[in-house]
Amino acid sequence: MLFGLTRFLMLTIALAAVIICFPFLSPYLPFGTDLHAAACWLGLTGTAGETAPVWGWLLQFSGLFTSRVALRFGVVSFACAILSALFYGSTVYCLLRSARREAERTAQRREADYEFAARFGTLLAVLAFLLIPAFFFAATHASARMTQFALPLAALALVVRVPEVMQPHRAGYLVTIIGFLSGLGALGGGPGLLFLPVAPALLLSEK
């Protein structure tokens, strides 16, 4: 039952991200450092791309599906925004669910409203995340920001689930994946670099 509720929540988050961002996908390329970096990765400037390599690889890969440059950039940003919303929502829901369990331990009786509060609070947190002006712009325009956030958020979503894994070998696999995602995030720069030293501290913490 809980798995079904979680899956429904993730589907709701993905749908909300599509409804919020898709109608505002820009058909134009914004001027700035992101556009110059993208041109470098696509070999349009004569110099090789250096910044945000994961984003650059995704831009190159998107060329297999369409040759329209603005559409390629927008779809990559949009897809990474949906992934970021899902990873962020998964992390928030896991933490709120843990808080609900602690609340139920001291409650006079178990309240179903606690679960509703966890799901509703997660949805509000994701909406607030997507509607931050800088994130909204990054999700609907050519920008490396959402790719830079998606990788550390994916690692964080796995970190908070490590205590739920009972088998040591499965926990080891999970930690390996977390390290891989954290490394890719650091390679992309920005938030990934900030999260890289935080990940081991979270994994070594007691809870």
Side-chain angles (χ1 to χ4, degrees):
M1 181 64 177
L2 180 59
F3 178 74
L5 292 175
T6 303
R7 185 167 55 182
F8 178 76
L9 176 61
M10 293 300 105
L11 181 61
T12 304
I13 288 174
L15 183 61
V18 171
I19 292 174
I20 291 173
C21 298
F22 184 76
F24 297 95
L25 279 180
S26 175
Y28 306 105
L29 295 174
F31 291 101
T33 56
D34 284 328
L35 181 58
H36 177 72
C40 291
W41 279 108
L42 297 180
L44 302 178
T45 61
T47 57
E50 296 180 356
T51 60
V54 178
W55 180 60
W57 298 335
L58 290 176
L59 292 180
Q60 294 174 341
F61 178 74
S62 65
L64 299 175
F65 304 98
T66 179
S67 58
R68 296 174 58 185
V69 178
L71 178 61
R72 289 168 60 180
F73 293 1
V75 167
V76 169
S77 297
F78 175 62
C80 289
I82 294 178
L83 291 175
S84 297
L86 287 172
F87 296 141
Y88 180 67
S90 176
T91 302
V92 172
Y93 178 66
C94 186
L95 296 176
L96 290 178
R97 191 175 62 188
S98 297
R100 175 178 62 85
R101 290 171 181 169
E102 291 296 326
E104 287 179 343
R105 289 179 183 177
T106 57
Q108 296 297 325
R109 59 187 178 86
R110 292 188 176 274
E111 295 283 353
D113 290 343
Y114 287 152
E115 174 60 27
F116 173 78
R119 284 180 280 155
F120 186 67
T122 299
L123 186 58
L124 286 181
V126 171
L127 292 177
F129 171 78
L130 290 173
L131 292 176
I132 292 175
F135 292 165
F136 182 76
F137 182 87
T140 55
H141 294 73
S143 175
R145 300 297 176 269
M146 277 303 170
T147 305
Q148 292 174 325
F149 271 97
L151 290 168
L153 284 174
L156 183 60
L158 294 178
V159 167
V160 297
R161 296 192 178 274
V162 169
E164 300 177 0
V165 180
M166 304 303 296
Q167 295 83 356
H169 66 280
R170 290 187 178 180
Y173 293 148
L174 198 59
V175 171
T176 301
I177 296 173
I178 291 170
F180 176 74
L181 291 173
S182 300
L184 274 182
L187 191 63
L193 284 173
L194 296 176
F195 180 74
L196 185 62
V198 176
L202 291 175
L203 289 172
L204 294 174
S205 63
E206 294 183 0
K207 293 185 179 181

